[in-house]
Amino acid sequence: MISDNISKALNEQITNEFNSAYRYLAMSAHFSSRNLNGFAHWFRVQYNEERNHALRIFDHIIDRGGEVSLSPVSEPPRSWESPTAAFSAALEEERRIAKSIDELMELAIGEKDHATRILLDWFVSEQVEEERVTSEIVDQLQMVGDSTIGLFMMDERLMNRSPEEADAEQE
């Protein structure tokens, strides 16, 4: 059975994951409205990935006999001044999530909850990948600068992200 402390912290993480998902969905809508469909697609895939993270934790709580307690998600921003600004915000979001995963890991270790620690091992690795990929895109967008051609090339590249790639990253 899962402890009350772990259950509460994991429920908070579900909310964190859904907040990230909601933010990425808003980013997808932002880029769709600007006909940057590759950017929109990338963030839609990211939305699904974060939603799946929340559900993974959701299932863990249930499997361990805990109670899931869903909280409201925050309203995300509706627009970003540039693709670089949006991906920089996404990178900060990934870093925030990584920090909360680290705090959860410390709690699981402290309570000797090995099942939750094993779950969180996966999340720790996942966050390293999330930060690496998002950071690379930020760096590339900074290199592109104000180049319209570069922006369209990035848009084309981001359109190629498959949901299967995101799923493979999660395994």
Side-chain angles (χ1 to χ4, degrees):
M1 176 119 177
I2 196 166
S3 77
D4 288 342
N5 284 340
I6 297 280
S7 183
K8 180 180 180 212
L10 289 175
N11 274 297
E12 289 171 7
Q13 189 62 31
I14 289 172
T15 303
N16 288 338
E17 298 289 343
F18 277 130
N19 274 322
S20 291
Y22 209 46
R23 176 177 291 254
Y24 293 143
L25 191 59
M27 289 173 168
S28 180
H30 168 79
F31 286 111
S32 288
S33 71
R34 284 153 183 79
N35 291 318
L36 288 169
N37 296 318
F39 286 89
H41 171 75
W42 194 94
F43 280 113
R44 175 68 70 99
V45 171
Q46 193 67 19
Y47 155 77
N48 282 319
E49 193 170 303
E50 300 305 326
R51 183 183 54 91
N52 289 338
H53 293 174
L55 293 175
R56 184 177 275 222
I57 297 167
F58 178 100
D59 290 340
H60 178 78
I61 294 169
I62 290 172
D63 290 348
R64 302 278 315 285
E67 183 176 329
V68 171
S69 175
L70 299 176
S71 298
V73 294
S74 303
E75 181 178 354
R78 295 182 185 179
S79 64
W80 290 263
E81 65 185 50
S82 68
T84 304
F87 271 94
S88 292
L91 179 57
E92 287 308 308
E93 182 70 11
E94 292 303 330
R95 288 176 175 158
R96 187 184 69 75
I97 292 293
K99 184 176 187 265
S100 66
I101 296 293
D102 288 345
E103 290 166 359
L104 278 169
M105 181 66 87
E106 289 299 318
L107 180 62
I109 290 168
E111 291 205 11
K112 298 180 181 173
D113 183 340
H114 302 292
T116 298
R117 188 198 51 77
I118 290 168
L119 170 78
L120 294 172
D121 279 343
W122 180 88
F123 277 94
V124 169
S125 296
E126 175 66 11
Q127 284 310 123
V128 169
E129 179 68 14
E130 299 263 343
E131 287 183 59
R132 182 190 62 78
V133 168
T134 309
S135 180
E136 284 176 3
I137 295 169
V138 169
D139 290 347
Q140 291 168 357
L141 285 167
Q142 288 172 341
M143 286 183 240
V144 165
D146 293 331
S147 167
T148 305
I149 292 171
L151 182 65
F152 285 120
M153 289 175 69
M154 287 292 298
D155 191 59
E156 184 69 27
R157 177 179 157 241
L158 295 175
M159 181 61 87
N160 293 325
R161 182 182 189 196
S162 70
E164 293 78 27
E165 277 178 37
D167 290 342
E169 291 169 6
Q170 292 184 31
E171 303 210 353

